[in-house]
Amino acid sequence: MISPVDRRTWLVSEAPFNPFKLHHTETIFTVGNGFMGVRGTFEEGYSGDMPTTLVHGIFNHAEGDLVPDIVNLPNPLPVQVRVDGEAFHMTTGKVLGFRRTLDLKRAALTREVLWRTSQGVVVKLTFERFASLTDQHLLLQRVRVRALLGSPRIEIRSSVDAQVTNLGVQHLADVHRQVDAAEILVTARTTHSNYGIAICAAHSLSAESSLEADGESLRYTFNLPHENEVSLTKISAIYTTRQGAQPAELAQKAARAALTKGYEALFAAHCAAWEQYWHTSDVQIEGDELAQRAIRFSTYHVLIAAPRHDERVSIGAKTLSGLGYKGHVFWDTELFMLPLLIVTQPKLARNLLLYRYHNLEGARNKARAYGYEGAMFPWESADTGEETTPQWSHPQPDGTRIRIWTGDHEQHISSDIAYAVLQYWRWTGDDEFFVKYGAEIVLDTAVFWGCRAEYNAAQDRYELSMQIGPDEYHENVNNSAFTNSMVRWHLQQALAARDWLLTHHREAGEALLARLNITEARCAKWADIAAKMYIPRDAETGVLEQFDGFFGLERFDLTHWQPRTVNLDWILGHERAQRTMVIKQADVVMLMALLGDQFGALELQQANWDFYYPLVDHGSSLSPSTHAWVAARLGLLEEAYDLFLYASHIDLDDLKGNVRDGIHAAACGGVWQAVAFGFVGMSLDERGELQIKPKLPAHWRSVTLRAYHRGQLKTVRLTAES
Ligand code: BGC
C-alpha cells in the first residue's frame, strides 16, 4: 500500500477524464526508458489524438520538408474491448469513474475506468503500461476486465497501427504486417534515411478464449462470469536497424522471451531498476509537497529520455514525448538537462557528451562551410550532427515565410557544449574521458572561435558581429554580452586544458594538438582574444549591455501585461519586438547562472538582475528556472520560489499552452538546477571542491539530495537549522 505522503508526492493523476486536455495529458503521461518514448494516448483511440512512439536516433528527411524529423513509429498501443458487442469508449455508454495515474517512482501508467454499457452491464477496466528499464526494447501493457454487474461476453481486439504519420508527413514505406499465433509483427523502413523498423507484439490471455486473427488484429472472445477478472498481456518489442541488420528477428525473439518471463517478473525488475535510478536522482523536500511532486515529475521526464546504452544519440528539446522541434537537439541538453545527469547519473551524462564527440565531423563541416577552421556545432542537431535548423518558418497567414537565423548565428552553442564538457570533467574527475574525447571538443571549438573573433584595430579589441544570444527576440546583433563572455571564458579554459594535457598526458596531448593544428601562434592568439574581448557594459553601474545598442532601445513596461501566455514578440510583431528592450529569456541572467562568482561580486550580480529581470518575457520555457536559480543565489527567496513553481508547473499545468508538442525538457532539467544550484547552493570552487551555500525557502523543513563528486556518492542534507 502506498502511503498518503507518497501518493501526494509520487503520483500525478487525472480525474475525472477531461477530453479537452487530451493532448496535454498525452504528453505528461509519456512513458519511456531512454530508448523509446510512448505518449499517453488511450488504447481505444480518440478523434484528434496524437499517438506517438519515438525511439532515439531514427530521423528521416521527407521530400518537401525543410529538415529531418524524428520518425513516429507504428503505434503499439491499440487494444479495443467490447462488452456484449458494445465497444468500450469513454464517449459512449456511461463512465462511472475514471482515474489515470502516472506513478513516477515506478515509471508506470495506470488507468482505471468504471464503465456501464447501454444495456446496464458494469465492468471495471484497468489499463497498465510501462517501458521497461531493464530491457529497453520492451513496452509492456496489461488490460484487465472485471465484471461488476452482469456476466458479459467480452471481446478484446489488439493491433499495431502502422497508419501513423508525423502530423501528416509520411516517413514510413514498405509497411508489412503479419498476424498469427497471438503475435503481430509490423515492419517498415523510413523513406529516405532507410532505417529498418520492426515491432513485434506478443500476447497472452489469463483465461480460456477463442482467438482469431484477421490480418490486421488479434481477437480474443470469452464469457466473463460476474465478479471475475481476465487480463490480457501485450508485450511489444521495438528494434531498428540501428541495433542490428535484422530488426524483425530481434523483435520477435525479444517479445517471445519477455512473454515467457511474464508481466509481473518484468515489472518487478523494472521497479528495482527505477529504485536505483531514484536512489541517486531523487531530491527530497520536506515541508512542501507541491514542490516535492513537481521536482520528481521534472526529474522523471529527464530520466525517461536519457539514453542509457547508446552514445550516438541525444535528448531532443521535447524529449521523446512529442513531435515539437522535430526531435532536434539544442543547447537545452548540455546546459539544462545535463547538469542533473552529471551530478546524479554521470554515466548517462558521459553518453550524451559522446554524442557531441561522435558528431564533431558535422561541426567541422559547418565551420568549413562558413569559412572557418575548427568545429562549429549546429544549433539544431539530429542523427548525423549536421546543422538541421530550418532556414525558413512555416508559411505565415499571408503566405510569406520568415527567415530563421538561429542556425547561422546562434553560435554560442559551441561554447555551451565546451562548458558542459568541462563541468562533467570537474564534477567527475573523469580524466580518461577528457583526454580521449572531451579535450578535443573543447579545443576544436576554441579553434573555431580563434578564427571567428574579429579584431577591431581602431579600438584594439576583439568583437563578434551578427550573433544571436539566448534572447532570440533580438537577432543578428553585435557583441552579445553572453556570447562574447562565454567565448572569452571558453578560450581561457582551452588554454588551461592544453597546459593540463601537456603536463599530465604529454604524449596524448601533443598528438591531439598536432592533429588539431593547435600551434604556439594559435594559442597566443587565443590569449590575446581572451584578454581583449569586448564585453559591452555601462561603465558606471557595471550592468552589461546585452548587445551593442541595447540600452538605446525602447523601454517597454510589462507590468500590466499579465496574465499573458502568448509571447510578446508574437503580440508586438517581430520587427517591433526587435526595437524594444523586452527579452525572450534569461540572457545576461543566464551568464550569471553559468559563471557564478566569476561573473563578478554579488553587488554587481544584483545590479544586473535589477536591470534585466523586469525586461524578461519568459517567452521560452528555459527562462523561469534560470531566473529561479539566480534569484536564490542572490537571496531573493520570494521571487526565487515563485519562479521555481512557475518553471516546475510549465508542463504539469500547461502554463505555456503548448505542452501538446512535448515536454519542455530544458525546464525540467532547469528545475533541478534551481534547487541544487540555487536553493541548496551547490557548486564547485576553484579547486573543484564541493561547496554548499544554502538559501532555502522559509517553509522548507529540509532538502536532501545526492551528488557524485569525483566518483563518490555524497548525500547533502539541509534542514532549516543546519
Ligand atoms: C529557445 C531556445 C531553445 C529552443 C528549444 C527556443 O524557444 O529560445 O533557447 O533552445 O526553444 O527549446
Side-chain angles (χ1 to χ4, degrees):
M1 270 302 277
I2 185 164
S3 75
V5 178
D6 276 5
R7 180 158 27 81
R8 292 191 297 268
T9 58
W10 281 109
L11 306 184
V12 177
S13 296
E14 178 195 15
F17 170 53
N18 184 344
F20 299 106
K21 286 193 166 184
L22 199 61
H23 294 149
H24 171 214
T25 50
E26 283 177 1
T27 298
I28 65 170
F29 290 144
T30 294
V31 295
N33 58 12
F35 171 78
M36 67 172 87
V38 180
R39 271 169 80 83
T41 39
F42 293 116
E43 288 75 359
E44 63 276 18
Y46 285 81
S47 130
D49 63 359
M50 301 199 289
T52 308
T53 310
L54 303 174
V55 301
H56 278 306
I58 300 296
F59 287 88
N60 187 56
H61 193 157
E63 206 119 320
D65 243 9
L66 292 173
V67 289
D69 215 347
I70 191 157
V71 175
N72 189 13
L73 303 189
N75 173 18
L77 294 174
V79 175
Q80 271 101 24
V81 179
R82 280 176 175 270
V83 181
D84 286 335
E86 200 170 323
F88 162 69
H89 204 258
M90 294 188 291
T91 56
T92 60
K94 175 84 183 150
V95 175
L96 305 176
F98 167 95
R99 182 171 54 212
R100 187 156 49 149
T101 306
L102 177 64
D103 180 342
L104 301 168
K105 194 178 207 167
R106 296 172 189 83
L109 184 68
T110 304
R111 170 170 57 132
E112 297 156 287
V113 190
L114 297 174
W115 188 64
R116 190 179 66 196
T117 66
S118 53
Q119 301 303 313
V121 171
V122 179
V123 289
K124 176 169 182 174
L125 297 155
T126 308
F127 299 85
E128 297 159 294
R129 72 173 77 145
F130 68 95
S132 167
L133 196 63
T134 40
D135 185 337
Q136 60 171 4
H137 296 281
L138 301 180
L139 174 77
L140 290 99
Q141 291 172 262
R142 190 161 62 180
V143 179
R144 291 188 274 148
V145 189
R146 172 178 285 271
L148 295 181
L149 276 184
S151 299
R153 183 147 183 84
I154 303 289
E155 178 193 296
I156 304 183
R157 188 188 283 257
S158 171
S159 57
V160 173
D161 181 10
Q163 306 287 321
V164 290
T165 63
N166 281 46
L167 307 170
V169 178
Q170 183 55 264
H171 288 300
L172 299 177
D174 295 346
V175 178
H176 293 288
R177 192 189 284 104
Q178 188 184 309
V179 185
D180 51 26
E183 204 171 276
I184 304 171
L185 176 68
V186 171
T187 56
R189 67 171 179 81
T190 55
T191 55
H192 287 72
S193 51
N194 222 13
Y195 289 114
I197 290 152
I199 301 186
C200 178
H203 300 74
S204 77
L205 194 79
S206 67
E208 289 285 307
S209 74
S210 76
L211 172 61
E212 286 167 76
D214 64 7
E216 292 239 329
S217 55
L218 288 172
R219 204 164 69 224
Y220 293 89
T221 319
F222 52 92
N223 291 322
L224 185 60
H226 180 227
E227 290 190 341
N228 276 31
E229 182 174 284
V230 166
S231 74
L232 172 79
T233 297
K234 177 177 186 181
I235 305 183
S236 302
I238 306 180
Y239 276 84
T240 74
T241 41
R242 290 193 69 252
Q243 285 82 49
Q246 306 294 339
E249 281 171 24
L250 292 170
Q252 273 180 319
K253 211 169 139 209
R256 288 172 193 166
L259 205 61
T260 312
K261 283 188 195 155
Y263 189 97
E264 286 300 337
L266 287 164
F267 187 55
H270 166 82
C271 293
W274 267 94
E275 204 173 317
Q276 298 259 311
Y277 236 174
W278 284 117
H279 176 66
T280 50
S281 293
D282 189 30
V283 176
Q284 284 142 16
I285 301 172
E286 276 183 323
D288 191 340
E289 292 184 348
L290 190 68
Q292 176 66 85
R293 190 182 65 142
I295 192 167
R296 284 181 174 151
F297 174 80
S298 301
T299 305
Y300 164 85
H301 275 289
V302 176
L303 292 181
I304 65 165
R308 290 161 65 83
H309 307 293
D310 193 341
E311 54 182 56
R312 288 182 183 267
V313 295
S314 186
I315 310 175
K318 302 285 183 192
T319 68
L320 296 174
S321 64
L323 298 173
Y325 288 122
K326 295 178 178 282
H328 295 177
V329 180
F330 296 67
W331 71 319
D332 305 35
T333 315
E334 279 76 17
L335 291 193
F336 292 83
M337 302 172 223
L338 205 71
L340 154 68
L341 300 174
I342 289 176
V343 177
T344 74
Q345 305 286 344
K347 285 199 188 111
L348 304 192
R350 192 177 196 268
N351 275 350
L352 290 170
L353 291 171
L354 284 172
Y355 164 78
R356 294 298 190 179
Y357 174 81
H358 293 306
N359 283 328
L360 267 169
E361 233 15 72
R364 289 180 180 130
N365 292 342
K366 181 173 175 188
R368 255 197 311 278
Y370 281 75
Y372 305 116
E373 294 174 77
M376 178 193 193
F377 277 104
W379 176 245
E380 295 183 28
S381 175
D383 51 344
T384 63
E386 303 293 324
E387 180 61 75
T388 53
T389 308
Q391 287 199 331
W392 297 95
S393 71
H394 286 298
Q396 303 298 296
D398 63 1
T400 58
R401 290 174 182 264
I402 294 176
R403 179 72 162 86
I404 297 173
W405 290 107
T406 48
D408 307 75
H409 299 148
E410 198 151 356
Q411 296 172 358
H412 63 79
I413 187 159
S414 290
S415 292
D416 306 334
I417 292 169
Y419 180 94
V421 167
L422 290 161
Q423 288 297 97
Y424 170 81
W425 186 34
R426 297 186 77 218
W427 277 91
T428 59
D430 186 350
D431 290 350
E432 192 228 336
F433 167 84
F434 192 71
V435 175
K436 267 171 105 170
Y437 312 107
E440 188 164 339
I441 297 178
V442 173
L443 292 171
D444 218 21
T445 42
V447 170
F448 156 66
W449 286 121
C451 303
R452 175 68 186 78
E454 302 147 37
Y455 183 60
N456 176 337
Q459 306 275 358
D460 185 26
R461 69 187 188 200
Y462 287 88
E463 303 187 352
L464 292 167
S465 60
M466 290 294 269
Q467 290 297 316
I468 303 179
D471 163 26
E472 294 176 347
Y473 288 174
H474 297 93
E475 295 169 327
N476 307 338
V477 302
N478 296 335
N479 295 314
S480 145
F482 176 89
T483 309
N484 289 21
S485 304
M486 287 299 284
V487 171
R488 178 176 64 183
W489 180 89
H490 181 170
L491 292 175
Q492 288 163 346
Q493 300 300 316
L495 288 167
R498 168 189 176 264
D499 292 349
W500 182 87
L501 279 175
L502 293 179
T503 313
H504 298 280
H505 297 268
R506 187 151 204 108
E507 212 176 304
E510 280 176 348
L512 180 63
L513 295 172
R515 186 151 58 79
L516 302 182
N517 192 19
I518 297 177
T519 57
E520 287 300 327
R522 206 187 280 275
C523 291
K525 184 166 178 207
W526 292 357
D528 199 43
I529 298 172
K532 295 180 185 162
M533 178 57 84
Y534 172 55
I535 317 280
R537 77 172 71 230
D538 181 312
E540 220 169 283
T541 59
V543 172
L544 297 192
E545 183 170 22
Q546 195 180 284
F547 52 81
D548 283 349
F550 186 82
F551 288 155
L553 298 180
E554 175 196 348
R555 250 206 114 92
F556 194 88
D557 185 0
L558 283 167
T559 325
H560 301 294
W561 284 83
Q562 294 295 357
R564 174 183 84 254
T565 42
V566 174
N567 284 4
L568 218 79
D569 85 326
W570 192 89
I571 299 171
L572 296 180
H574 196 50
E575 287 305 311
R576 170 92 194 277
Q578 302 237 34
R579 285 185 275 114
T580 68
M581 277 197 199
V582 176
I583 60 181
K584 184 176 182 184
Q585 65 203 85
D587 189 298
V588 169
V589 170
M590 183 75 201
L591 187 65
M592 287 160 67
L594 296 182
L595 296 188
D597 292 345
Q598 294 174 56
F599 181 93
L602 269 187
E603 301 77 61
L604 188 73
Q605 294 186 38
Q606 183 71 52
N608 277 276
W609 170 274
D610 290 344
F611 183 82
Y612 283 105
Y613 182 48
L615 304 180
V616 72
D617 185 26
H618 296 310
S620 158
S621 65
L622 279 58
S623 192
S625 62
T626 310
H627 280 87
W629 168 6
V630 174
R633 192 199 293 148
L634 294 173
L636 308 169
L637 291 182
E638 288 293 327
E639 278 100 335
Y641 185 70
D642 274 357
L643 286 156
F644 160 78
L645 279 190
Y646 177 9
S648 60
H649 285 76
I650 286 175
D651 290 314
L652 273 171
D653 293 348
D654 200 7
L655 296 180
K656 301 213 130 274
N658 61 0
V659 176
R660 57 177 291 150
D661 301 335
I663 284 291
H664 296 86
C668 291
V671 164
W672 183 89
Q673 303 204 72
V675 173
F677 301 153
F679 296 130
V680 171
M682 194 166 65
S683 67
L684 298 181
D685 68 11
E686 273 168 24
R687 291 163 303 127
E689 299 301 333
L690 193 59
Q691 297 288 313
I692 309 286
K693 290 187 194 151
K695 297 255 171 46
L696 297 191
H699 63 288
W700 287 14
R701 285 204 309 278
S702 77
V703 184
T704 307
L705 58 75
R706 296 219 164 73
Y708 277 105
H709 180 234
R710 295 186 187 143
Q712 278 194 335
L713 185 62
K714 303 198 168 159
T715 302
V716 177
R717 180 169 162 76
L718 302 170
T719 62
E721 296 79 38
S722 66

